[in-house]
Amino acid sequence: MNITIKDIARVTNVSPATVSRVLNNVGGYNEATRKKVLQAAAELGYRRNESARSLVKNSSNLIGVIMPQVSTLFYGDIMTGIERAAHQSGYSIIISHSGNVGDKIPECIKLMAERKVDGLIIATVEINDEHLAMVQELRIPYLLLATRMPDRNVPYLKVNDFDAAYTATHHLIENGHEKIGLVGLSLTDRVAGTTRFEGYKRALEDNGLKFDPHLVKEGDYGFYSGQRAMQSYLQEKTELTAVFCVSDDVALGVISVAADHGIQIPDDLSVVGYDNTIIAEMSIPPLTSIDQPFMEMGEEGCSMVIDAIRHKQKIYSKIMPYTLVERRSVKQITHKIF
Amino acid sequence: MNITIKDIARVTNVSPATVSRVLNNVGGYNEATRKKVLQAAAELGYRRNESARSLVKNSSNLIGVIMPQVSTLFYGDIMTGIERAAHQSGYSIIISHSGNVGDKIPECIKLMAERKVDGLIIATVEINDEHLAMVQELRIPYLLLATRMPDRNVPYLKVNDFDAAYTATHHLIENGHEKIGLVGLSLTDRVAGTTRFEGYKRALEDNGLKFDPHLVKEGDYGFYSGQRAMQSYLQEKTELTAVFCVSDDVALGVISVAADHGIQIPDDLSVVGYDNTIIAEMSIPPLTSIDQPFMEMGEEGCSMVIDAIRHKQKIYSKIMPYTLVERRSVKQITHKIF
DNA sequence: CTGAAAGCGCTTACAG
DNA sequence: CTGAAAGCGCTTACAG
């Protein structure tokens, strides 16, 4: 049998109400009772029953996290950040995977509803209007993390993909590159795909370079996508001196087939990645990459929803700062015009 | 206000008891009532309150997962496996991070106790006797995943580290190597550290090679650990033709400094990794590595505890199969004796 | 400062 | 097949 508040009450000769009060630190008892209750609780090995507590408080001290189960490098970082912030504030986190294509999102939301989570973080997956409606029905604070809903006023926390892509491309241009490829563009991904594409194009235009569709390779964010793109460049004998990759994984993909073909990075080809996961550092040569602060995003995002829960206030979207971290995969080349 | 079972009862003119029965599919009602209850539930948008349910059933449908927050590559894989199995059986998972050094383990266990989790998975961290006592006090099924307690009869699910290290080393020997380094040995890690060390040594001995302590570099499982080891080999001008690394990360570390020094992999140095995470494939050249099936381990492990919960039976330890996946980081060299 | 009582939303013997 | 009732372990007005 489990030890309950009543057991403590019996042992200490006070009412369960008082036990509850001291255990919850709400005041309304003198020091003597406080001491004996706490001592009895410790001696009996009391563990409070969160279910009972949740039931009466109509809240669970739970933050729900919905994430896709793709094994991306940053999954752990985001989770770590979220868990840290939650733990600090006395919340626990419960997670549910949305499937690779987000097909299980409704199920996830239902689950979160049953668990009466106090707040919800939807990370990394794109949701649609139907999902949004379900989430809103929950009437709890929620936040899109490292994702967003275009054209909808839904709170999110993420890096500005347009700017970051612009910066990455601009960095290449600054270093004298004029034929710059874009690798891994997902046209169906309106959050990170097309936005980065726009940033890339704009950087080109702003610097008087012509956008050439032959230089962009569609794909996804994976390693193989990068490999396929590089193979395709090779086969088509595309002339380029640099590529901007939509993720570190695809960057490593292009580097790997480049290596197989004796193409030197950065001497023959400069490459910049995106995410700045650990593999950017592991790359040979180490990869220049756009840093997304995933751990901080998890932490900050979770704090935002907790604040909203506690102060019953609205969550405002926030842009996280990105940085370009330079390593050794970009070469400065001389301008042809000189 | 939330819709409850009573609301459905009122609308359908049956008792809450009956509503509960049809919602839980326990039988004891005719088709007509079943239909109207289900319909009313759907119409009202009923969501059951798991807290209330947990309270009366004295169980939560929750599997607790305790993991360190190191951002290892396989974190996501393990979690994915666990979540998949849990979800399939109607369980949710709640996670708590144990800190890098496991210092927060007691706190994690306390939390799991309060949540009344039905089962517990402790992944990847080493626990001590004190922790074990706390866990056992919970009186719920639990399992150590990808870790174990030496000298204690505690159920675990993992790969046989000794055998795997033996296999890795033996693979190198088969390919004609005689001076084989061991990189990343953690002498304090009695689970994976010393065990892999033993496997390495035994493989040497069984093949008539002398164990040379100068060939082993202590460290941890990280990238930098591999870098430091390689630098140290270089500085000491250690003669060796191959290294067995305790993780892919350390393997990439040695490869990266090797590259900086113009040392060709595998021509000048063969290397085999451990874990077979995605980076093994991303490595240049692609890394031969011991595969640990993390996703399957998560899935299988979670299934084991769920089975134990359902059938109230003991959990028996299980060994997962590992495999050596050969890629291009090992070179066959001619035996000197010929 | 403290207690009696009601109630959170559900499940489950028990009785019919 | 169905309902009335008790109870899971807690919190929180209310009253003193």
Side-chain angles (χ1 to χ4, degrees), chain A residues 4-5 20 24 46 53:
Chain A
T4 75
I5 233 175
S20 172
N24 287 295
Y46 171 76
R53 186 169 216 254

Side-chain angles (χ1 to χ4, degrees), chain B residues 4-305:
Chain B
T4 74
I5 232 174
K6 284 184 194 168
D7 297 318
I8 301 178
R10 196 179 325 114
V11 171
T12 53
N13 280 314
V14 298
S15 71
T18 297
V19 174
S20 172
R21 283 191 273 257
V22 349
L23 255 24
N24 287 294
N25 255 304
V26 296
Y29 43 78
N30 65 28
E31 187 56 17
T33 24
R34 187 182 148 268
K35 268 200 176 142
K36 78 179 165 187
V37 165
L38 254 24
Q39 191 187 338
E43 274 170 10
L44 296 174
Y46 171 77
R47 290 280 157 82
R48 84 164 161 220
N49 186 322
E50 268 293 345
S51 300
R53 185 168 216 254
S54 297
L55 180 58
V56 2
K57 304 201 88 158
N58 195 30
S59 94
S60 58
N61 258 290
L62 235 36
I63 305 283
V65 178
I66 296 179
M67 267 193 124
Q69 63 252 56
V70 290
S71 43
T72 42
L73 275 303
F74 47 77
Y75 180 108
D77 286 339
I78 292 185
M79 284 300 300
T80 297
I82 292 177
E83 206 271 347
R84 184 178 303 161
H87 186 262
Q88 231 164 43
S89 300
Y91 284 83
S92 291
I93 85 144
I94 185 167
I95 97 156
S96 185
H97 285 163
S98 58
N100 302 310
V101 289
D103 49 313
K104 283 167 35 189
I105 293 178
E107 226 173 311
C108 290
I109 298 173
K110 175 164 173 266
L111 211 137
M112 297 301 174
E114 293 180 352
R115 293 284 175 190
K116 299 279 178 286
V117 297
D118 294 344
L120 184 61
I121 294 173
I122 297 173
T124 283
V125 267
E126 205 177 341
I127 62 171
N128 61 31
D129 284 330
E130 196 184 332
H131 302 146
L132 179 60
M134 289 183 70
V135 169
Q136 288 180 151
E137 223 168 74
L138 266 38
R139 310 200 164 287
I140 55 169
Y142 63 92
L143 175 74
L144 303 185
L145 189 62
T147 181
R148 47 170 275 165
M149 279 186 85
D151 314 326
R152 290 283 177 285
N153 185 23
V154 172
Y156 65 86
L157 175 67
K158 70 185 291 296
V159 145
N160 185 319
D161 282 277
F162 178 90
D163 289 355
Y166 188 101
T167 299
T169 310
H170 187 255
H171 177 68
L172 257 7
I173 296 171
E174 268 183 343
N175 278 278
H177 297 274
E178 298 184 338
K179 299 274 187 194
I180 300 170
L182 170 64
V183 180
L185 167 62
S186 314
L187 281 172
T188 52
D189 174 8
R190 292 181 60 208
V191 174
T194 53
T195 313
R196 290 179 197 174
F197 183 36
E198 295 303 329
Y200 160 81
K201 272 205 297 203
R202 177 70 69 80
L204 256 30
E205 285 165 17
D206 283 1
N207 289 277
L209 297 175
K210 202 161 79 243
F211 164 67
D212 177 358
H214 295 98
L215 261 39
V216 355
K217 294 292 173 195
E218 287 178 45
D220 57 32
Y221 298 89
F223 178 68
Y224 302 121
S225 167
Q227 289 192 315
R228 277 192 301 271
M230 189 64 198
Q231 268 145 7
S232 161
Y233 280 140
L234 252 21
Q235 197 178 310
E236 297 167 4
K237 300 196 197 306
T238 312
E239 275 183 47
L240 36 61
T241 63
V243 287
F244 163 45
C245 301
V246 298
S247 79
D248 291 340
D249 292 47
V250 340
L252 275 272
V254 342
I255 292 175
S256 88
V257 347
D260 281 349
H261 290 264
I263 295 168
Q264 301 284 342
I265 312 289
D267 288 337
D268 303 327
L269 183 70
S270 290
V271 3
V272 1
Y274 200 109
D275 287 340
N276 194 32
T277 51
I278 358 159
I279 62 166
E281 207 162 341
M282 293 179 173
S283 167
I284 298 177
L287 185 69
T288 291
S289 185
I290 293 288
D291 178 74
Q292 295 205 71
F294 292 109
M295 194 126 71
E296 288 82 351
M297 284 167 77
E299 202 163 353
E300 174 68 17
C302 190
S303 295
M304 284 166 72
V305 344

Side-chain angles (χ1 to χ4, degrees), chain A residues 27-145:
Chain A
Y29 44 78
N30 65 27
E31 187 55 17
T33 22
R34 189 182 146 268
K35 268 201 176 142
K36 79 179 169 188
V37 165
L38 253 24
Q39 192 188 335
E43 274 169 11
L44 297 173
Y46 171 76
R47 292 278 158 82
R48 83 166 162 218
N49 186 322
E50 268 293 346
S51 300
R53 186 169 216 254
S54 298
L55 179 57
V56 4
K57 304 201 86 156
N58 195 30
S59 94
S60 58
N61 259 291
L62 238 33
I63 305 284
V65 178
I66 297 180
M67 267 193 124
Q69 63 252 53
V70 289
S71 42
T72 43
L73 276 304
F74 47 76
Y75 180 108
D77 286 338
I78 292 184
M79 284 300 302
T80 297
I82 292 177
E83 205 271 349
R84 185 179 299 161
H87 186 263
Q88 233 164 41
S89 300
Y91 284 83
S92 291
I93 85 146
I94 184 167
I95 97 158
S96 184
H97 285 164
S98 58
N100 302 310
V101 289
D103 49 313
K104 281 166 36 186
I105 292 178
E107 225 173 312
C108 290
I109 299 173
K110 174 163 175 266
L111 210 137
M112 297 300 173
E114 292 179 350
R115 293 283 174 190
K116 299 280 179 282
V117 297
D118 294 343
L120 184 60
I121 294 172
I122 298 173
T124 284
V125 266
E126 206 176 342
I127 62 170
N128 62 31
D129 284 330
E130 195 186 333
H131 302 146
L132 179 60
M134 289 183 70
V135 168
Q136 288 179 150
E137 221 170 76
L138 264 37
R139 311 202 164 289
I140 54 170
Y142 63 93
L143 175 73
L144 302 186
L145 188 62

Side-chain angles (χ1 to χ4, degrees), chain A residues 278-315:
Chain A
I278 0 161
I279 63 166
E281 208 162 340
M282 293 179 173
S283 168
I284 297 177
L287 185 68
T288 291
S289 185
I290 293 287
D291 178 74
Q292 294 206 70
F294 292 109
M295 194 126 69
E296 289 82 350
M297 284 167 77
E299 202 163 354
E300 174 68 16
C302 190
S303 295
M304 285 165 71
V305 344
I306 290 174
D307 279 354
I309 294 168
R310 296 209 162 146
H311 311 310
K312 299 194 186 307
Q313 71 202 4
K314 205 168 165 294
I315 297 185

